[in-house]
Amino acid sequence: MNKLLVTGAAAMVTLSGAAHAQSSVTLYGLIDAGVTYTNNQINTTGAGHSNWELKSGPVEYSRWGLRGAEDLGGGLKAIFNLESGFNVNNGQYTSSNRIFNRQAYVGLSSREFGTLTFGRQTDDMVDFVAPLSLTGTQYGGTHFAHPFDIDNLNDSFQINNAVKYQSPDFAGFKLGALYGFSNQAGGFSNNRAYSLGMSYMWGPLNFGAGFMQLNSDAATAGQLNTNGAVTDTSGSSLAGVLTSNAVPLGALSSRQQTWGAGVNYAFGPAVAGLVYTQTNLTQLFQSGLSTHFQNFEGNLRYALTPAVELSAAYTYTRAGGLAGGGNPHWNQVSAMAGYSFTRRTDVYVQGVWQGVSASSGSPLGAAWINGLTAPSSTNNQVEATVGLRHRF
């Protein structure tokens, strides 16, 4: 009898171990905090003053998440990812009305056919172009973003109600596509989104291209679809400048169209890159204007030692068709140095200077580095940050 019990127990342990080996759930996260100095920010009275502040996510947004997979056999897996961004200064979620505000999806993954997922997800500009720009990497991040993060390379917003496909690797090529439903009866195109992307890697060469379009009927119907594809966006800073309201650009215009491409080339311990993006905004809400923003970025990374990484970028941005007939343009210079204690923990120092030239009638005459609390009272702004980052 005892032998039967021992044998049965051993069989149960074996089966349990086999079942456990076929599925996994991983807790992961990143905490990034730093002290930031800004030479000029507008305060409540409208005057400009320098500012010292503790910032959450100066380089990468602080977040935690759960990801998992279950082996279904034949190279097919069920997968999921739930990811939440938070403010390390006060412990609050970065979005007040959702727990998993960064990503929340479930899907199927196949070695042979690729990955199909459903839920709140990143678009293809983030997946294919952002890694070639310093703002989309750990070597630059939030403050390195192009003005207003107008092209979303800093992943300032995600797409709700999204069906997304990513292909497997075909001799260095990868393809992607996403569609975000409006979820509105009688308003199929009111706040919907779709994007496409591709990448190619060959030895030291890495190329990527992407396209994203957001549609809204708000400009003509006067009502926002708050359950649609885009409900929180960067560009809310630009919205504040143009309309005195922090509302999504996807809702501000009848169409927001962004496309871009980039290339990185590695040689020895260095990686050099070029990125171009353009965002077209059609029929801006409350202004009736249509405009476009073009970003030209050159960047360089250099591994001075295995523990010390240096990076720098220059971005030139120009816009057209805005109020006052002016064509504002921005120059931005960014630099960062990081030291890694381990693969999970590092310290860094970074700085950004931004200058803007605009006509006297333009509402975009004030500099505003991405991620700072407020714009400058003048046409230039400087920030410097010393920070600590830990991954788990």
Side-chain angles (χ1 to χ4, degrees):
M1 180 66 178
N2 288 338
K3 289 182 178 180
L4 288 174
L5 288 173
V6 170
T7 302
M12 291 180 65
V13 169
T14 301
L15 290 173
S16 175
H20 179 72
Q22 293 175 355
S23 62
S24 65
V25 176
T26 301
L27 171 67
Y28 68 93
L30 182 149
I31 304 172
D32 182 10
V35 176
T36 296
Y37 165 78
T38 310
N39 72 325
N40 193 314
Q41 285 188 27
I42 293 176
N43 63 12
T44 54
T45 66
H49 290 277
S50 61
N51 191 20
W52 290 88
E53 54 186 321
L54 181 66
K55 297 291 291 183
S56 177
V59 177
E60 295 183 89
Y61 299 114
S62 298
R63 83 287 296 261
W64 71 275
L66 296 168
R67 64 168 66 98
E70 181 186 11
D71 192 346
L72 304 179
L76 185 66
K77 292 183 179 180
I79 61 172
F80 74 87
N81 194 358
L82 304 172
E83 185 174 288
S84 176
F86 62 91
N87 188 324
V88 72
N89 291 359
N90 52 28
Q92 294 181 344
Y93 292 122
T94 52
S95 179
S96 60
N97 62 345
R98 54 171 66 93
I99 297 176
F100 298 110
N101 46 54
R102 288 184 54 82
Q103 296 197 80
Y105 64 79
V106 64
L108 296 172
S109 176
S110 166
R111 292 193 302 265
E112 186 177 358
F113 299 107
T115 302
L116 183 66
T117 48
F118 307 86
R120 179 175 169 86
Q121 305 175 74
T122 55
D123 65 81
D124 289 305
M125 288 294 294
V126 172
D127 294 341
F128 292 95
V129 182
L132 307 175
S133 167
L134 289 190
T135 186
T137 71
Q138 62 180 323
Y139 308 107
T142 305
H143 296 316
F144 281 38
H146 303 156
F148 312 110
D149 194 26
I150 192 72
D151 47 22
N152 200 36
L153 296 192
N154 192 235
D155 193 18
S156 297
F157 68 89
Q158 294 77 41
I159 308 297
N160 300 327
N161 318 323
V163 178
K164 181 176 180 178
Y165 171 76
Q166 287 201 324
S167 76
D169 188 307
F170 298 110
F173 282 99
K174 284 188 177 181
L175 303 173
L178 174 145
Y179 188 89
F181 289 87
S182 71
N183 278 13
Q184 185 180 67
F188 184 77
S189 64
N190 188 13
N191 197 358
R192 67 171 177 177
Y194 52 90
S195 68
L196 300 168
M198 64 83 65
S199 66
Y200 175 68
M201 295 186 67
W202 179 73
L205 180 70
N206 186 1
F207 172 81
F211 170 83
M212 173 183 64
Q213 181 161 316
L214 314 178
N215 288 91
S216 175
D217 295 336
T220 55
Q223 292 184 340
L224 306 182
N225 175 15
T226 57
N227 296 314
V230 180
T231 53
D232 53 357
T233 180
S234 75
S236 59
S237 54
L238 176 59
V241 171
L242 294 177
T243 68
S244 300
N245 294 292
V247 295
L249 279 181
L252 268 179
S253 57
S254 62
R255 184 179 68 187
Q256 178 177 340
Q257 189 179 76
T258 298
W259 58 273
V263 61
N264 279 180
Y265 188 84
F267 48 100
V271 179
L274 295 172
V275 174
Y276 171 80
T277 68
Q278 178 164 327
T279 296
N280 300 322
L281 301 172
T282 303
Q283 295 180 357
L284 279 171
F285 188 46
Q286 295 186 3
S287 70
L289 297 173
S290 296
T291 185
H292 65 271
F293 287 76
Q294 294 175 296
N295 297 290
F296 305 82
E297 177 188 335
N299 59 66
L300 180 68
R301 294 191 283 120
Y302 185 80
L304 188 64
T305 72
V308 178
E309 185 87 28
L310 308 177
S311 57
Y314 167 72
T315 299
Y316 173 73
T317 302
R318 64 187 182 189
L322 290 167
N327 293 296
H329 59 94
W330 293 256
N331 288 279
Q332 182 169 294
V333 180
S334 314
M336 177 173 167
Y339 176 80
S340 299
F341 295 107
T342 66
R343 294 183 65 182
R344 298 196 303 169
T345 303
D346 67 303
V347 292
Y348 60 85
V349 57
Q350 69 166 213
V352 178
W353 171 84
Q354 183 187 105
V356 56
S357 298
S359 67
S360 59
S362 173
L364 300 178
W368 195 349
I369 295 171
N370 190 62
L372 295 185
T373 307
S376 170
S377 62
T378 69
N379 65 350
N380 66 80
Q381 191 171 53
V382 174
E383 73 83 20
T385 300
V386 177
L388 171 67
R389 184 169 43 182
H390 176 74
R391 306 162 184 84
F392 61 89

